[in-house]
Amino acid sequence: MNDSSAPAATAPETPSARAAAPLVRHLKRGALAAAATLAAGGIVLPLVLPGTAVAGSGSLPAVTSSLPAANRGALPDAPFLDLGAASLSETRTAHELAPGVTHTAIARGAGNEQLPWTVEVKLPSGVAGVADAAVGDEDTARRVAGELAASGVEARVERVVSERLADSGGDLGYRVRAGEFGSREDGAGTVARIKTAGYASAVWYTGWDGDSAGANQQQGPWNLEVLTIDPKEFDGELAAAFGPDLEQRETTSQLAAAADALAAVNGGFFVFNASHGAEGDPAGAGAYNGKVLSEAVGDRPSLVIDGPKARAAVERLTWQGTVAAGGEELALDGINRVPGLVRNCGGTGDQPADAPKHDATCTDADELVAFTADFGAATPSGPGLEVVLDARGKVTAINGSRGTAVPAGGRTVQATGGDADRLAKLARSGTPLKVSSAFAGADGKDLRLDKDSHVVNGGPLLLQDGELMVTAERDGMVHADNPGMFYGWVHQRNPRTIAGVDAAGRLMLVTADGRQTSALGLSIHEAAAVAKSLGMVDAVNLDGGGSTTMVADGEVVNVPSNDGGAQRAVGDALLVLPSRK
């Protein structure tokens, strides 16, 4: 998630369109017989036959199912979600957007009025430069709770245990909480008293906890939207888009409308604040219409799209770029980003580490970064060297400072620190420079991209070969110097966007609303379990939080977690496009 905002106290309920929103699935032959069989078993399955008018759905019919989870799998191709208590009811409504493209809304569980709000206290790390966090060691938690008690605030210490993931999770430590309240506003006085005692805190809804041991937290409600694209039936295309240039963020709706898309979801992680680079720039692998425009973060997983075939795959990608002249070659550090600022880290020579570190910005004083005209109106300005290349790769200018327009069809290469001298020795006015940039798969072979190929970054991995494979540590969501990162980003529930493929090659794009009392969101473990129960075999987490948005038939069908349900402007989006025939 590119998200530093506090959760909304009470975001709007799912639109009335959720209940009446057109959600249609074509009935297969034998559906009536299946319905009769289910009814005989005590299962209520309302069905509307194709051609039957349904209010709010135009000429397309809707099929709604409501079954207890104990009957999971009773509906063809629709296993119930492995989410919360097994006995929860689940309702699905499906709408065919085009042959081979279906939008399904899933409502699982119900509200639990027993769940209170509480105040969660930030525990001091005790180490200079290390952030305070909502979890810490037991001694620190008990000391803070004792100091709060002495100041008149009754606090409790709770142990936090997370689901075990492929490379992380388990015992996270202890947290300190105070009070139980009926609303966010009711906790404001306790926050003020804790501040007076010298500690930061915030009001938190306990339904957003990812604590699997808490029975009260397993009742829901959850609201999910699922797009299923079957390449065997869909004659349109898949694509990714970022708008006029990489620096300009746009909403998912705007990106969908510009392409006249049937549907869309938000895409990968991106720079969210100008202090961390160029806003809107993908913070990870990015390729659009066959052009590599952003380097990978380590080998984090990405969604690789074959547009005309409407196929996609989850792959771990690395990146390599070079600038060469004659027999000499220099390694690039990046492409289309501000030199020296590496969002999510994962490069070479970065500080404090080369490994991926999510929602962190590493630095590197000595860098070579190439630019295309896709970046923006001008390249980043500042000290260093910038070489300008025309469409044939010939050097047309060598500038003693950075910041210029990129020629149409051309490139520039910026150098900072010690790399400025290295680039100056390589570049000669009027001579050609060859700039190369390519992704490689896990097998080390270059990823072949054509003019309709796209790559959208993500992480962590959720599923691999049909099994849960959540690699939060490998993909940078575990910070040794900040236990609060895993706790807040992985363990607790948040809005999520998921992409994955099933065994039949169908792409599924999923949004889960969160940070609302009417939609709890998902922990990363829950996101992986949901992906598996939907039938995915390979899946990856995309950007979430306030970015999570799905558009279908020109309308936003989920409820973004921003104030008032407003959409966040994002770096890119995944688009489902109609046929060009």
Side-chain angles (χ1 to χ4, degrees):
M1 293 166 292
N2 291 301
D3 213 345
S4 59
S5 60
T10 308
E13 295 290 334
T14 305
S16 58
R18 177 183 299 282
L23 301 167
V24 179
R25 179 172 34 189
H26 276 310
L27 297 175
K28 296 181 179 179
R29 184 174 298 174
L32 287 176
T37 301
L38 293 172
I43 300 170
V44 179
L45 179 57
L47 296 177
V48 182
L49 292 174
T52 303
V54 178
S57 66
S59 62
L60 293 174
V63 175
T64 303
S65 64
S66 181
L67 304 176
N71 294 298
R72 183 175 294 133
L75 292 176
D77 300 321
F80 273 54
L81 300 182
D82 182 9
L83 180 60
S87 60
L88 294 180
S89 63
E90 184 174 304
T91 300
R92 299 185 178 192
T93 357
H95 173 199
E96 185 181 70
L97 302 176
V101 180
T102 304
H103 164 224
T104 304
I106 303 177
R108 181 168 176 80
N112 185 347
E113 296 180 357
Q114 302 297 319
L115 291 178
W117 294 76
T118 190
V119 173
E120 191 160 73
V121 182
K122 284 289 185 72
L123 302 179
S125 69
V127 179
V130 176
D132 296 344
V135 290
D137 61 75
E138 184 176 9
D139 288 345
T140 300
R142 296 200 180 281
R143 174 176 59 80
V144 170
E147 292 178 7
L148 292 176
S151 68
V153 178
E154 185 176 346
R156 61 191 182 274
V157 175
E158 300 174 345
R159 186 181 178 187
V160 184
V161 179
S162 178
E163 296 281 359
R164 285 296 312 178
L165 308 179
D167 60 4
S168 53
D171 193 341
L172 302 185
Y174 294 79
R175 66 190 174 202
V176 174
R177 289 179 165 180
E180 292 188 352
F181 311 99
S183 69
R184 178 192 294 276
E185 292 74 20
D186 292 343
T190 299
V191 169
R193 290 194 295 275
I194 291 173
K195 182 178 180 180
T196 300
Y199 295 100
S201 65
V203 186
W204 178 260
Y205 184 60
T206 55
W208 302 332
D209 289 339
D211 306 341
S212 61
N216 285 343
Q217 280 75 24
Q218 302 309 305
Q219 303 305 309
W222 288 280
N223 294 324
L224 290 83
E225 312 290 336
V226 183
L227 286 174
T228 305
I229 301 97
D230 187 345
K232 296 177 182 176
E233 298 182 14
F234 181 47
D235 65 355
E237 299 184 13
L238 298 175
F242 57 84
D245 59 51
L246 294 173
E247 282 194 296
Q248 297 184 54
R249 294 193 289 133
E250 295 189 296
T251 66
T252 301
S253 285
Q254 288 172 325
L255 293 169
D260 196 24
L262 295 169
V265 298
N266 65 288
F269 303 108
F270 57 93
V271 176
F272 190 59
N273 187 299
S275 63
H276 301 293
E279 281 197 47
D281 180 32
Y288 310 87
N289 297 117
K291 297 170 62 178
V292 176
L293 299 182
S294 181
E295 76 270 20
V297 170
D299 70 343
R300 291 217 299 198
S302 295
L303 190 70
V304 180
I305 297 167
D306 184 335
K309 293 183 179 179
R311 291 188 175 274
V314 177
E315 298 189 39
R316 286 194 176 275
L317 301 178
T318 55
W319 174 85
Q320 184 176 29
T322 60
V323 53
E328 276 194 84
E329 183 177 272
L330 301 176
L332 290 172
D333 292 278
I335 180 170
N336 288 322
R337 67 164 170 80
V338 177
L341 298 177
V342 190
R343 189 61 174 168
N344 292 335
C345 308
T348 301
D350 298 345
Q351 297 297 323
D354 287 348
K357 191 173 184 180
H358 192 68
D359 276 358
T361 300
C362 284
T363 59
D364 189 344
D366 307 308
E367 286 207 306
L368 285 170
V369 177
F371 290 86
T372 67
D374 306 278
F375 176 78
T379 59
S381 60
L385 187 75
E386 185 160 15
V387 175
V388 182
L389 312 177
D390 66 14
R392 294 176 296 173
K394 187 171 67 175
V395 176
T396 59
I398 301 174
N399 300 331
S401 61
R402 297 183 295 111
T404 189
V406 180
R411 292 176 179 265
T412 75
V413 180
Q414 292 191 349
T416 58
D419 281 347
D421 288 340
R422 298 174 65 205
L423 181 60
K425 293 176 182 177
L426 185 71
R428 294 288 183 269
S429 183
T431 62
L433 281 183
K434 181 180 180 181
V435 179
S436 64
S437 177
F439 294 124
D443 58 3
K445 297 180 180 179
D446 282 355
L447 180 70
R448 296 181 61 182
L449 299 174
D450 62 27
K451 64 180 180 63
D452 296 307
S453 299
H454 304 265
V455 174
V456 172
N457 75 80
L461 187 69
L462 300 177
L463 297 177
Q464 182 174 302
D465 298 329
E467 300 298 327
L468 267 64
M469 185 58 64
V470 183
T471 51
E473 182 171 18
R474 177 175 177 176
D475 296 328
M477 287 76 186
V478 178
H479 293 189
D481 59 353
N482 179 14
M485 176 63 187
F486 183 95
Y487 175 68
W489 204 98
V490 177
H491 174 72
Q492 290 185 320
R493 289 171 173 153
N494 290 285
R496 308 282 182 186
T497 303
I498 304 164
V501 293
D502 68 7
R506 293 175 293 194
L507 172 65
M508 293 184 185
L509 302 172
V510 181
T511 61
D513 288 342
R515 296 183 185 159
Q516 305 165 39
T517 56
S518 58
L520 301 184
L522 304 173
S523 70
I524 283 293
H525 180 270
E526 288 172 334
V530 163
K532 184 173 182 179
S533 58
L534 285 172
M536 299 184 208
V537 293
D538 296 307
V540 63
N541 180 71
L542 300 179
D543 191 17
S547 298
T548 289
T549 307
M550 181 181 289
V551 174
D553 275 343
E555 301 292 335
V556 177
V557 294
N558 74 312
V559 181
S561 64
N562 304 300
D563 288 342
Q567 289 186 71
R568 167 185 288 169
V570 295
D572 60 11
L574 291 162
L575 307 177
V576 183
L577 303 176
S579 172
R580 290 188 285 186
K581 298 175 183 177

